[in-house]
Every structure is written in structure tokens, then in C-alpha cells.
Amino acid sequence: QQQVKQSPQSLIVQKGGIPIINCAYENTAFDYFPWYQQFPGKGPALLIAIRPDVSEKKEGRFTISFNKSAKQFSLHIMDSQPGDSATYFCAASTSQNTGFQKLVFGTGTRLLVSP
Amino acid sequence: SQTIHQWPATLVQPVGSPLSLECTVEGTSNPNLYWYRQAAGRGLQLLFYSVGIGQISSEVPQNLSASRPQDRQFILSSKKLLLSDSGFYLCAWSVKVTYEQYFGPGTRLTVT
């Protein structure tokens, strides 16, 4: 119940395409859903995050769509660029009113944007 | 602004040797601190977290330990490394009662 399932494992799109990465969860106590971007040899960087009280959030070319009833959320990258080639991780968390946030991560999606 | 440092960046150690990885955070006080391990091509596994000096919680029983001797310093240690300890170790911090976690640059550990 603590798992976050992420798909696909890898994805290749052409420049300008819209890659979509999907995640699903079971624990209805999760109340925070971030996406991280990781380049090889670097630490993950927080990209965008959403709370379950909204169905969509946009930041620049990155959009999170959230479906609370289906317990699914996805990342869309508009007008993808070769510089977006990286591994993307979804995650979920619940604070449980403790002031401590335990993130549960998906297994990652390796995205390649071809020129 | 806040910054997080990890060192060393890379480390090659023989089996059975000790380990000490250090993480420090600047620009914030009383953060939550986390140690994660990332195996090759896999997701992130939470190893330890700390909500204050001397307060350490372990998520996965293993060959590693953690300590927090100062407010913004988090140390990952081992007395005797195993081959299975190889991986990419990441430190992260967050402000209490917020959700965002921010990761450091990581330490690549290879146990030979």
C-alpha cells in the first residue's frame, strides 16, 4: 500500500513531442505528489508538485494531471527538448501531522528526447 | 538561499573498510534531514531520517548507521562495508511542516 507504481520504464520522443509519464498509488492518505528530474550523476531536482485538492498544475512546460478517484497522476512535458532528456521520478508523501515527510518514490522513467 | 553539500563526491573502498559520508545544509535552521540510497537504474530508498540533533530513525535495517552531531550536519557511517553497500547516496533536507524535499549532489560509493 506504500508503493507508487510508475510507467513507462523508458520513453523516447522526438523534439517537440509531449512525453507522458504515469504514476499510480494505493494509499489514500498520500496528500502530496512531487515529480523529480535527475540527470546522470546528479541528485534529483524538485520539478513540480501537486496536492489532491487540484486536478492540474502547470509550471512552464511541465504539467501535472491528478485524478483523485483513480488514484493516478501524470507528468506531461510540452514541446519537449533534448535538454529534457533525464530520468523522472514521481513520489508521494503524507505528513501524518508529525512535521516529517516520508517520500515514497516510483522506480523512475528514463526519457530521451531526440533532436 | 539554502544549499546542501555532500562529500566526498566519489569514493572507492574495499570490503570490510569503514565509511563516513557527510552532508551539510546551509541557509536554514532545524531542518529535517534524510539519507537515501539509489541503486543503479532504480528508485530511491530512504535509509535514515532525522528531525533534530541526535534524533535518528532508521527505515531499513542494514550495515549502515547515521548520526546528527550538529543541527545542519548529517553523517552516514559503516564500520565494515559490504559489496552490497555500493550505490549512489543522497542526502536531502526539508523545512518542517512543509512537504518539499531538496537533494544534495550525491556520493557515488563503490565497494570493491
Side-chain angles (χ1 to χ4, degrees), chain A residues 37-51:
Chain A
Q37 179 189 57
Q38 185 178 31
F39 294 104
K42 306 295 184 182
L46 180 60
L47 194 59
I48 186 174
I50 197 168
R51 299 284 191 96

Side-chain angles (χ1 to χ4, degrees), chain A residues 64-86:
Chain A
I64 298 180
S65 297
F66 185 81
N67 186 329
K68 187 174 181 178
S69 61
K71 291 184 284 187
Q72 296 175 348
F73 58 109
S74 59
L75 177 70
H76 303 232
I77 306 176
M78 313 302 287
D79 187 28
S80 59
Q81 301 296 313
D84 297 328
S85 298

Side-chain angles (χ1 to χ4, degrees), chain A residues 9 31-32 36 38 41-46 49 51 89 93-95 98-103 105-108 110, chain B residues 32 34 36 38 41-44 46 49 51 59 88 90 94-106 108:
Chain A
Q9 192 172 21
D31 56 2
Y32 171 71
Y36 284 84
Q38 185 178 31
K42 306 295 184 182
L46 180 60
R51 299 284 191 96
F89 292 94
S93 173
T94 174
S95 69
T98 62
F100 158 70
Q101 307 80 24
K102 178 180 176 180
L103 283 174
F105 282 86
T107 51
R110 184 172 293 184
Chain B
N32 288 337
Y34 311 80
Y36 289 86
Q38 185 175 30
R42 300 184 64 180
L44 286 81
L46 179 63
Y49 65 90
V51 299
E59 283 292 299
F88 192 45
L90 291 154
S94 68
V95 177
K96 288 181 173 51
V97 303
T98 66
Y99 285 85
E100 293 82 9
Q101 282 189 30
Y102 301 96
F103 285 83
R108 173 75 60 192

